[in-house]
Amino acid sequence: MPDKFDLETLYDEHAQALYAFALDLTRSDADTKDILQNLFTRLARKPSALGGVRNIRAYLLRLAHNAAIDLMRRRGTRDKYAQEVALESPCLFEPTDDSDEQAFRTALDDALRELPPDQRTVVHLRLWEGMKFEEIADLLEISLNTTASRYRYGIDKLRQRLRPLYNEIK
Amino acid sequence: MNLDEFERRMRRVPRREIPAAWREQILEPLRHQEAAPAIVWWKQWLWPHPTAWASLAVIWLAIFALHFAAAPDPVAPSAVLAKPAPEMLQAFEDRIRLMAELSPESPERETEPSPADRPRSCRCTAEVAV
């Protein structure tokens, strides 16, 4: 991996994944934009940061995750702010004209939002980034057992929450 | 509901697209930004605590200053190489002469034979005379 990289190519290849992941954690477009801005600024100032990195996507997701966690910790005790954010937060999924599918996507978005952040993180990386448990454990710096258990609890809650809707539109 | 089937169903749901306008908004300020200069290795030791290092240096300078201020004045080279006073030279010569006179090997003392060296007849005559 060369020390100098093309920042714009990096953006084109990874920004979409970083955006979806950060949005799932923060549930705020403004916060997500701040996270991406800071992340790419950091890369621009220190091009050698990616030197020796084998999995760039995983590295960038880790940076985004750490930034989102820091943000949530700073705001975590303010319940009123959290409620306001929840009301205004954009849907994580692309809107569709199919009403049944849209209802499913809205329900899925609500179910994900109800998950604890640690379970939501693992579920997102497993389902939409296609990462293995070992890769997720390495990214989040947790054990493999913890990764697997968080995923299991999270996916079970989603299944219970979405069972009625899933059976209808299956 | 089969877990694999459920997971496949979830994965098919497309995530929201990142706003297109963000690309320029995020990248434009960075196009002309220069990389931060690499930190020299020794700065990584000093820079986090420059005050502490500066204070330590001041303390050592003070210790050295006090040490050299308390040291005795060295003898001036001119004093070492200066000629001794004439009085001192005379006194030194007198001392040497006196030591020479008092020495058992001095020539004055050699003119008088020791009593043990004189013949016995002379020694007896000297005792009777007394």
Side-chain angles (χ1 to χ4, degrees), chain B residues 2-17:
Chain B
N2 186 294
L3 179 60
D4 289 340
E5 196 177 319
F6 181 75
E7 287 177 335
R8 281 196 295 270
R9 181 66 181 89
M10 297 296 105
R11 287 194 187 105
R12 287 206 304 268
V13 181
R15 294 175 296 178
R16 201 155 77 102
E17 295 276 326

Side-chain angles (χ1 to χ4, degrees), chain A residues 1-2 4-18 39-40 43 50 56-57 60, chain B residues 23-24 26-28 30-31:
Chain A
M1 178 70 197
K4 271 263 185 199
F5 52 83
D6 184 1
L7 204 63
E8 307 210 5
T9 302
L10 211 66
Y11 184 95
D12 293 336
E13 290 179 357
H14 302 289
Q16 172 60 43
L18 294 172
L39 194 152
F40 281 93
L43 292 174
L50 293 181
I56 296 177
R57 174 68 64 88
L60 295 177
Chain B
R23 190 178 190 281
E24 280 305 300
I26 290 174
L27 294 179
E28 172 56 30
L30 305 178
R31 286 198 177 105

Side-chain angles (χ1 to χ4, degrees), chain B residues 2-78:
Chain B
N2 186 294
L3 179 60
D4 289 340
E5 196 177 319
F6 181 75
E7 287 177 335
R8 281 196 295 270
R9 181 66 181 89
M10 297 296 105
R11 287 194 187 105
R12 287 206 304 268
V13 181
R15 294 175 296 178
R16 201 155 77 102
E17 295 276 326
I18 184 172
W22 284 20
R23 190 178 190 281
E24 280 305 300
Q25 292 169 5
I26 290 174
L27 294 179
E28 172 56 30
L30 305 178
R31 286 198 177 105
H32 307 289
Q33 183 156 4
E34 292 179 2
I39 297 178
V40 184
W41 66 268
W42 55 269
K43 281 189 179 178
Q44 290 180 333
W45 283 80
L46 291 177
W47 190 244
H49 306 286
T51 308
W53 284 109
S55 303
L56 198 60
V58 167
I59 290 172
W60 275 108
L61 285 173
I63 291 173
F64 281 128
L66 288 172
H67 173 73
F68 286 115
D73 291 335
V75 177
S78 59

Side-chain angles (χ1 to χ4, degrees), chain B residues 95-114:
Chain B
R95 180 86 178 182
I96 290 176
R97 192 177 303 115
L98 182 61
M99 293 296 288
E101 290 173 0
L102 293 174
S103 167
E105 297 172 356
S106 65
E108 291 82 7
R109 294 194 63 141
E110 281 178 4
T111 55
E112 295 180 9
S114 63

Side-chain angles (χ1 to χ4, degrees), chain A residues 141-154:
Chain A
E141 297 178 325
I142 56 177
S143 70
L144 191 58
N145 288 339
T146 302
T147 304
S149 64
R150 286 181 184 177
Y151 178 75
R152 190 72 195 193
Y153 288 132

Side-chain angles (χ1 to χ4, degrees), chain A residues 19 22 49 58 66 83 101 112 120 137 139 145-146 160 162 164 169:
Chain A
Y19 168 75
N66 292 342
Q83 288 172 8
E101 178 65 16
L112 271 172
R120 196 187 325 151
L139 187 152
N145 288 339
T146 302
Q160 288 177 5
L162 298 173
I169 65 172

